[in-house]
Amino acid sequence: MLVVMSQQATPEQIDAVVAAIEAKGCVARPIPGGERVAIGILYNKGPMDPGYFLGLPGVKDAIPVTRPYKLVSREFQPKGTTIQVSDVRIGNGYLALIAGPCAVESEKQALTIARIVRKAGAGLYRGGAFKPRTSPYSFQGLGEEGLRILARVRDETGLPIVTEALDHEVFDLVEEYADVVQIGARNMQNYSLLRRAGRSKKPVLLKRGLSATIEEWLMAAEYILEGGNTQVILCERGVRSFADHNRNILDVSAVAVVCKESHLPVIVDPSHAAGRRDQVIPLSRAAVAVGAHGLMVEVHHAPEQALSDGAQSLYPEQFEMLSRQMNSTAEVFQPKVTMVGREA
Ligand code: PEP
Ligand code: MN
């Protein structure tokens, strides 16, 4: 249930509603934004009677919330959320381009790619220091050294860093270095990691699980918001299918649904969806056309030598093309957005 206060409601009337909610054994959560205060009710055991709240002074409306996810839903917060990372904004009118290698391999590699993607218009830099690899024999990332390299890349280029916290144990460390902490597809339902992310002050990029429904994905985001961190960016990265023409199927319909269901920004990772570079640019156009709030793309200056995901990494000139096409697609399908990270 969402209790909407009238515009003239006094602080005392708001406090009285909070007390009435708590008297029922529930938790009251005021919702930010908008001209009037709305108070969400969490932890109710069953449906609540709107009449109970409608009778209280200053209450304009009491709206039952039909979805199992609450804090992430548009029912709770109709206005889209914008996440600010340094001077870059994502969501609700701001389109973000995140690019970089799959993994940080060396300082030279990371910096070379960062300069390329920055010049081509990326607003944030991605790169894994801790890699979730299917095989234990594959390159696992440079660990803390990778994080130190990312920090130097940020100092050098000014690009904020998106990097993955692979587990609860490394979260503190990753959080120290990262501007945005990524939770990978394989960890979408790692509840201790989600709870830890909920206590973080850093924005979290939450990837959709390999076979997660939209409801499961939004419930995973709900864990983070419930923990107190409202800065969540959702990322669709393709789901498992029977197809063998790509690594995963990019679920563009999920983007349309999530935009409707949730106020959180949702971006698309066409690289992990496709698994091959020839599909990355077309899928990026589709993502922007369907309403995604940004893209996260893998780029490498020498993909043949990449230690991970070389086949899906764009060549520098392809990334330049993607950046241009992202902007021209947005001009047609999202004409009100502000593109970030573009060279003036
Ligand atoms: C990544 O973005 O580096 C990654 C491993 O992606 P995913 O979790 O979507 O597989
Ligand atoms: Mn990768």
Side-chain angles (χ1 to χ4, degrees):
M1 172 96 42
L2 187 68
V3 181
V4 183
M5 303 301 293
S6 76
Q7 249 167 323
Q8 296 76 33
T10 63
E12 293 73 29
Q13 288 172 338
I14 294 168
D15 289 347
V17 171
V18 169
I21 293 169
E22 286 167 355
K24 291 241 171 242
C26 302
V27 170
R29 189 69 83 88
I31 310 293
E35 291 115 49
R36 54 170 71 92
V37 173
I39 306 162
I41 304 177
L42 301 178
Y43 296 101
N44 49 306
K45 296 279 178 288
M48 301 192 82
D49 175 16
Y52 175 74
F53 299 101
L54 286 171
L56 298 174
V59 173
K60 182 169 185 287
D61 210 351
I63 308 162
V65 172
T66 54
R67 306 292 197 265
Y69 38 87
K70 300 186 187 299
L71 297 169
V72 306
S73 75
R74 281 217 192 253
E75 286 180 325
F76 254 49
Q77 185 189 309
K79 188 169 170 277
T81 289
T82 303
I83 311 255
Q84 175 118 22
V85 188
S86 303
D87 59 348
V88 177
R89 293 192 177 110
I90 307 169
N92 198 33
Y94 296 91
L95 200 60
L97 182 54
I98 308 170
C102 178
V104 176
E105 298 167 8
S106 68
E107 179 158 348
K108 192 158 174 269
Q109 172 253 17
L111 255 177
T112 304
I113 299 169
R115 291 193 183 112
I116 290 166
V117 299
R118 199 185 91 89
K119 190 156 179 286
L124 297 105
Y125 186 69
R126 65 145 289 145
F130 295 92
K131 293 303 303 174
R133 302 306 301 279
T134 304
S135 165
Y137 306 115
S138 302
F139 176 58
Q140 304 286 307
L142 297 180
E144 189 169 2
E145 174 54 14
L147 296 175
R148 282 194 287 266
I149 291 173
L150 287 169
R152 288 199 284 276
V153 167
R154 176 179 45 218
D155 290 347
E156 187 93 8
T157 62
L159 292 173
I161 300 300
V162 182
T163 196
E164 178 165 353
L166 196 54
D167 50 41
H168 198 141
E169 286 83 347
V170 297
F171 199 100
D172 288 5
L173 189 65
V174 172
E175 188 183 41
E176 258 178 58
Y177 288 92
D179 297 288
V180 176
V181 180
Q182 179 171 325
I183 295 187
R186 293 155 189 80
N187 268 321
M188 191 206 81
Q189 286 182 313
N190 179 338
Y191 296 112
S192 79
L193 194 59
L194 295 173
R195 286 211 185 278
R196 176 61 188 83
R199 294 195 300 276
S200 179
K201 300 267 179 295
K202 295 276 169 79
V204 174
L205 189 142
L206 178 65
K207 290 202 153 191
R208 181 183 181 186
L210 274 72
S211 57
T213 64
I214 292 175
E215 185 173 311
E216 287 164 342
W217 186 21
L218 292 177
M219 290 305 275
E222 187 80 8
Y223 266 85
I224 304 173
L225 271 77
E226 194 272 341
N229 186 354
T230 55
Q231 304 183 85
V232 175
I233 303 158
L234 298 163
C235 179
E236 160 63 36
R237 45 80 73 209
V239 289
R240 264 286 150 79
S241 85
F242 52 81
D244 58 6
H245 59 281
N246 44 26
R247 188 172 172 183
N248 296 285
I249 289 279
L250 179 66
D251 184 0
V252 281
S253 69
V255 178
V257 174
V258 168
C259 286
K260 212 168 134 209
E261 285 294 308
S262 177
H263 55 84
L264 295 173
V266 54
I267 68 165
V268 163
D269 171 351
S271 306
H272 289 90
R276 40 187 290 174
R277 73 176 67 83
D278 62 339
Q279 294 177 11
V280 170
I281 294 179
L283 293 181
S284 298
R285 290 195 300 262
V288 174
V290 82
H293 300 106
L295 297 172
M296 182 160 85
V297 184
E298 287 184 344
V299 181
H300 203 290
H301 64 293
E304 302 74 20
Q305 278 138 45
L307 296 181
S308 63
D309 286 349
Q312 69 198 32
S313 299
L314 295 185
Y315 289 101
E317 54 281 11
Q318 288 180 310
F319 180 67
E320 283 164 30
M321 189 190 284
L322 179 146
S323 180
R324 281 197 300 275
Q325 294 197 9
M326 177 183 180
N327 290 338
S328 46
T329 310
E331 272 157 28
V332 177
F333 294 102
Q334 301 196 43
K336 293 210 185 81
V337 306
T338 305
M339 265 81 74
V340 297
R342 263 195 310 183
E343 290 279 282

